[in-house]
Amino acid sequence: MNQPQPRFDLAKARADFPILSQTINRHPLVYLDNAASTHKPRAVIDRIRKVYEEDYSNVHRGVHTLSQRCTDLFESAREKVQTLLNARHSHEIIFVRGTTEAINLVAQSYGRKNVGPGDEILITAMEHHSNIVPWQMLCEQTGASLKVAPISLTGELLMDEFAGLLSDRTRLVSVTHMSNALGTINPVEQIIAQAHARGIPVLLDGAQSAPHMTVDVQALDCDFYAFSGHKLYGPSGIGVLYGKESLLTAMPPWQGGGDMIRRVTFEKTEYNELPYKFEAGTPNIADTIALGAAIDYVNILGIDAIAEHEHHLLAYATEQALKIPELKIIGTAGHKGAILSFTLDRIHPHDIGTLLDQLGIAIRAGHHCAMPVMDFFEVPATARASFGLYNTFEEVDILMDGIRQVIKMFG
Amino acid sequence: MLDQIRDLYQEVVFDHNRNPRNFRVMEDANRKIEGFNPLCGDRITLYAKVIDGKIEDVSFQGSGCAISTASASLMTEIVKGQTEQEAEQLFDLFHRITTGKNGDEVNLEELGKLAVLAGVRAYPARVKCATLAWHSLQSALKNDGETVSTE
């Protein structure tokens, strides 16, 4: 085996993740469920501990030393996210619980203000439920309708059909940057250009793209971009909504409470400035600071180097998978992230998942919160191996060997 | 290497998965119910013909994993000919064994053929696969007529 080596020290990087050095069912853990959530490097775990042991206090309120220190750390995490996404301003970075909450925020704030009866929201047929249901809820509340751009059998967006669905009634386009069920990376530059030509803003669901590629929201010119910390080697429960300043400024607050106000009387409340207008209540302080540590960690390795390594893993895994006649890859787009979704003849993905787990291999089996995608491919579910920075070519071999054992067992 | 999981994936399970019994649409059923496991997308349509409190015939259709298919197949074999009450008791027993609550006190012999599925107890994520058909049967007997979900 002579595989391309990553530009970072892979053995050292693996050692940074304490959870990886364990056995599951008497086999070394092979963790291939990174599209669901990634593990945390020691730097992130230590940062959370340090916040609580040394730096913790509420933010944006106190005059005491700890409050100031904690506020500084919290706001420096915002600047790290700003740099990661190359946003123009740090106040365009809103901290939320995750991608799901970010999309709900846009639906309920931007949507409730700008969408009315007869209007349309345009998504694609490869969306995660979190980029479907918030829009269905909005449509129900406003009398708008949801339009869905179809995909091909390779799992690629049909761009002509997409363009045909853009109309004078389209108020927002919301598409995934990279599909969690298929791995497809969408031509978002083209999507944004076509939508903007009609003055329609675009939200990108970046849950899968943020951990796997360089994202430059100014170069993309997207209007909103959402991602989750826990898929970027950071803590769960913290995520980001990026929005263009002009849009965020014009949007009404979503939740009311402390921190999001400037002045409150019983007659009238004056809202705080960005980003605080959208951050009611005490935020997830420690996890936000630790998200900053996760971004630092990714930057040390280099997101491009990570993406390159994952691409090599996917190419190798795809090549090996094609040698297994009973295996069918679901999602064969030309431009893909490191996700291998597959089915095996006459073997349900849940059986595959349980059996591979016996060999210490963690994959996802199910509908991946993308039931319409499963319906399109006429499968109840798929098995999905998804790669992260710490995965190795040897682990791909272990997976393929495991798949062969499963096939053999089912006979 | 996969031998240690033979406690769950026994030959009987593979047999019923490959050749599910009573796997057909029942045209003259007087009970019909859709069962659904939203976690994994397993779907089952359960048909039953119940006359004077007795399950004269029972069959199913659908797609699912080996555990849910084998469980449905075994269930139809066993409850056919039973009274509703007998089937209900068997469901209680099966449920207790698969969910492991006081499972150790249950006599596996009472379960007969169903005992092959007792191993699912060690795999909590898969218990719902084994019980989907049974939840569907229970609803069919109550004649709820709605989709049942294991969630």
Side-chain angles (χ1 to χ4, degrees), chain B residues 124-135:
Chain B
R126 305 300 302 278
V127 168
K128 285 172 179 170
C129 308
T131 55
L132 176 62
W134 286 90
H135 282 291

Side-chain angles (χ1 to χ4, degrees), chain A residues 87-269:
Chain A
R88 194 180 302 273
H89 308 289
S90 68
H91 59 249
E92 293 176 319
I93 304 301
I94 314 290
F95 285 122
V96 291
R97 279 189 298 148
T99 308
T100 298
E101 187 168 79
I103 297 173
N104 277 277
L105 192 163
V106 175
Q108 291 302 311
S109 171
Y110 183 85
R112 292 290 281 269
K113 184 167 182 204
N114 296 290
V115 177
D119 287 343
E120 295 167 2
I121 306 290
L122 179 56
I123 61 171
T124 80
M126 69 174 90
E127 302 304 325
H128 187 281
H129 295 163
S130 61
N131 198 26
I132 302 173
V133 183
W135 306 116
Q136 289 174 327
M137 290 164 64
L138 175 68
C139 288
E140 206 161 281
Q141 289 156 349
T142 59
S145 61
L146 188 62
K147 299 289 173 186
V148 184
I151 58 176
S152 70
L153 284 169
T154 58
E156 287 164 297
L157 186 59
L158 296 170
M159 284 306 293
D160 288 348
E161 308 256 357
F162 172 83
L165 283 165
L166 288 170
S167 80
D168 294 341
R169 301 311 301 262
T170 312
R171 292 290 167 263
L172 189 81
V173 170
S174 190
V175 298
T176 187
H177 197 177
M178 173 175 155
S179 158
N180 74 309
L182 303 168
T184 310
I185 295 172
N186 274 318
V188 291
E189 294 84 353
Q190 209 183 332
I191 289 169
I192 292 165
Q194 291 184 0
H196 282 185
R198 288 171 166 269
I200 304 163
V202 177
L203 183 156
L204 294 184
D205 171 352
Q208 297 298 334
S209 60
H212 304 295
M213 65 183 82
T214 300
V215 174
D216 181 334
V217 292
Q218 291 189 70
L220 287 171
D221 199 27
C222 59
D223 301 276
F224 299 104
Y225 182 90
F227 75 92
S228 300
H230 72 97
K231 288 183 165 79
L232 187 69
Y233 310 98
S236 57
I238 183 68
V240 167
L241 171 67
Y242 157 82
K244 279 183 186 166
E245 181 186 41
S246 56
L247 289 169
L248 291 174
T249 302
M251 281 158 60
W254 181 38
Q255 294 175 329
D259 230 22
M260 55 75 73
I261 47 80
R262 184 169 286 144
R263 183 162 183 270
V264 176
T265 65
F266 287 115
E267 287 71 39
K268 185 173 168 39
T269 290

Side-chain angles (χ1 to χ4, degrees), chain A residues 25-27 346 348 350-351 354-355 358-359 366-367 371 380-381 405-406 409-410, chain B residues 1-2 4-6 9 14 17-18 38-42 64-67 123 126:
Chain A
N25 295 318
R26 296 183 296 284
H27 295 273
R346 293 176 292 110
H348 192 279
H350 259 207
D351 296 315
T354 295
L355 294 170
Q358 290 301 303
L359 301 170
H367 51 61
M371 286 185 184
Q405 288 192 53
V406 171
M409 190 177 188
F410 266 74
Chain B
M1 291 240 277
L2 279 171
Q4 62 247 29
I5 201 172
R6 286 281 176 186
Y9 285 85
F14 284 121
N17 181 49
R18 273 191 291 263
L39 199 67
C40 52
D42 286 353
C65 63
I67 304 301
Y123 306 89
R126 305 300 302 278

Side-chain angles (χ1 to χ4, degrees), chain A residues 289-306:
Chain A
I289 295 169
L291 173 61
I295 292 170
D296 288 343
Y297 181 84
V298 165
N299 285 336
I300 290 167
L301 269 57
I303 189 84
D304 289 335
I306 293 170

